[in-house]
Amino acid sequence: MANDVRTHLIGLLLGAEEDWPRAFESIMSLVGPVQADGATHSISSERVRIHPFDLTDPVRHSLVIDRLAYWYYHPREWLKKASLMNDTYLLNSPFTFQSMEKHSAYVAMLRLGMKIPKTVLVPYKNPVDNVRWAYTASKYNDPFDLETIAADIGYPLFMKPFDGGGWRGVSKVKDVEGLHRAYDESGNMLMHLQATVDYDKFARALTIGPETMVMDFRPDEPMHNRYAVTHDFLSPQAGWEAETVSKVVNAFFGWEFNSAEMLVAGDEVYPIDYANACPDVAINSLHYYFPWAITALVRWSAYCLVTGRKSAIGVRHPRDYFAIGDDPDRTYTEKMQAYRELADAEFETDRYWEWCEQHLSHLPERVMDWVASEDFDRLLVDTVRGHYPAHEHEKFIAHFRGLTGMWVTDQRAR
């Protein structure tokens, strides 16, 4: 009997990115044919082109990694068509983008009992662009006292758009004068007021499928220096909880490529932002963690395609989480443990790692060799030259070579 040969094409739907797509393509080429369940699986990728499409046109891509549709509506609608008509696997699904507007994510995780800082949504400063606004506002909008709301939350506080994204419109408000200045500048953005937390560490977790990396993040530093390479910077309990928050958020909403930000005080973890349709995976910000991130993206993509996993079109099983969250007899820790079990089941965590060990055990060593190669160095140098002025090239090439070289050294030591 002839061997069953199956081909899988991954589409990369991209904006202004070159570094991680080149890395993804290089690492995917290291996977090789996968022998599984009596079939030979060949996996390749291409960058998706944008053009008019008939709603009945076939889609060649078995899986699409989307980095564009959160702001570009034409490819967003193509993704919806690909999912509904052609059963294409999507990372992430545009059907959940409404929840990516932060507000829904805050509300859902509050329902689950997570430690979200006190947050209040206030009406627009400036009228929305709609001819009916004046009548509706005069008839139904209640007057409110912004200063009273802020005083109840407490200074300092943060004012930030309900839909967020790239720190756009975020202000740290220290007093009444700053409050009115930030609100006046918000214009027609819909804003949250959110309490601050006295914290020891700012953690950012990047989760791709079942894999999560919790990193020591320094938001006040320049982008190239924001991720500190400090292992075990959280207590075991806080580290577990930060990882759990990221996994549970993703499993709840059906996100498979997402980052979460948390303020950590001792063993207490306060999630503040965990809905990112386009998480940061650039080499000039992740540096040391870049090889892990792209390898995880390759592994999860390969796993989903070869095992025939089906992607979610919307939120999968929210009531399962609500039943836990509404249980008065469970402690916070017991709820988090139960959520984590649901998340691990959703992402087939045990099966995934067993599958990787069986079919991709060669990949980590090949990735190490590639990161130490001239090909990777060209990618690094090209990225620096494309992002920094000429007089800074030498400094940043050395900076990123040092950090990625340290990753290779650490991995080989393990």
Side-chain angles (χ1 to χ4, degrees), residues 183-406:
Y183 190 50
D184 290 345
E185 292 173 354
S186 71
N188 58 6
M189 290 188 290
L190 187 60
M191 306 299 280
H192 280 134
L193 304 185
Q194 188 171 78
T196 57
V197 173
D198 290 329
Y199 64 93
D200 304 316
K201 289 291 184 178
F202 192 124
R204 175 174 274 184
L206 177 61
T207 293
I208 300 169
E211 299 193 46
T212 298
M213 182 69 69
V214 180
M215 295 166 283
D216 187 356
F217 192 67
R218 301 175 295 192
D220 295 330
E221 291 285 329
M223 184 56 75
H224 70 274
N225 206 34
R226 286 186 181 174
Y227 291 94
V229 184
T230 50
H231 307 302
D232 301 322
F233 68 100
L234 299 178
S235 70
Q237 173 59 32
W240 177 88
E241 190 167 326
E243 184 178 289
T244 298
V245 167
S246 191
K247 288 177 177 286
V248 169
V249 166
N250 282 15
F252 183 93
F253 286 108
W255 302 331
E256 302 178 37
F257 187 16
N258 185 44
S259 62
E261 295 176 356
M262 292 150 282
L263 304 179
V264 182
D267 286 341
E268 301 294 318
V269 177
Y270 301 90
I272 59 166
D273 183 2
Y274 40 83
N276 296 287
C278 194
D280 177 19
V281 285
I283 191 172
N284 58 320
S285 55
L286 285 187
H287 46 75
Y288 180 91
Y289 300 102
F290 180 77
W292 163 80
I294 308 307
T295 302
L297 194 55
V298 166
R299 275 195 292 243
W300 180 240
S301 299
Y303 173 83
C304 292
L305 290 171
V306 174
T307 63
R309 178 179 166 87
K310 301 298 182 184
S311 64
I313 290 178
V315 177
R316 283 187 186 262
H317 308 293
R319 295 291 167 188
D320 293 346
Y321 291 88
F322 292 156
I324 297 168
D326 295 344
D327 185 349
D329 295 327
R330 296 192 198 223
T331 66
Y332 171 78
T333 300
E334 289 170 342
K335 290 179 181 180
M336 293 297 285
Q337 290 170 338
Y339 298 147
R340 177 70 173 259
E341 290 175 5
L342 289 179
D344 282 336
E346 175 64 33
F347 290 119
E348 305 169 10
T349 299
D350 290 342
R351 181 190 179 199
Y352 169 77
W353 285 116
E354 290 171 2
W355 187 91
C356 289
E357 179 61 29
Q358 182 178 359
H359 300 291
L360 300 180
S361 59
H362 63 286
L363 192 58
E365 185 171 354
R366 292 189 181 181
V367 171
M368 280 190 287
D369 291 341
W370 176 70
V371 176
S373 73
E374 292 183 1
D375 183 54
F376 179 85
D377 193 64
R378 281 192 294 271
L379 165 62
L380 188 153
V381 170
D382 289 347
T383 302
V384 169
R385 288 175 175 168
H387 284 81
Y388 300 98
H391 70 276
E392 293 185 333
H393 287 175
E394 185 176 343
K395 177 182 75 172
F396 281 111
I397 288 171
H399 177 72
F400 295 126
R401 276 176 175 164
L403 287 164
T404 54
M406 182 167 63

Side-chain angles (χ1 to χ4, degrees), residues 7-13 20 24 28 43-48 59-66 78-79 82-83 86-92 256-257 296-311:
T7 59
H8 308 278
L9 180 62
I10 297 172
L12 305 181
L13 186 58
W20 82 260
F24 183 91
M28 180 57 73
I43 307 171
S44 60
S45 67
E46 70 173 17
R47 303 185 184 196
V48 176
V59 172
R60 297 180 301 112
H61 307 93
S62 304
L63 182 149
V64 175
I65 299 172
D66 166 48
W78 177 78
L79 286 173
S83 176
N86 307 96
D87 211 18
T88 301
Y89 202 103
L90 305 181
L91 275 65
N92 287 301
E256 302 178 37
F257 187 16
L297 194 55
V298 166
R299 275 195 292 243
W300 180 240
S301 299
Y303 173 83
C304 292
L305 290 171
V306 174
T307 63
R309 178 179 166 87
K310 301 298 182 184
S311 64

Side-chain angles (χ1 to χ4, degrees), residues 134-166:
Y135 177 85
T136 299
S138 64
K139 189 172 179 65
Y140 297 111
N141 279 23
D142 287 332
F144 68 97
D145 188 330
L146 185 67
E147 293 182 16
T148 298
I149 294 172
D152 183 54
I153 293 172
Y155 294 102
L157 58 85
F158 281 92
M159 184 180 293
K160 53 188 181 180
F162 86 108
D163 53 351

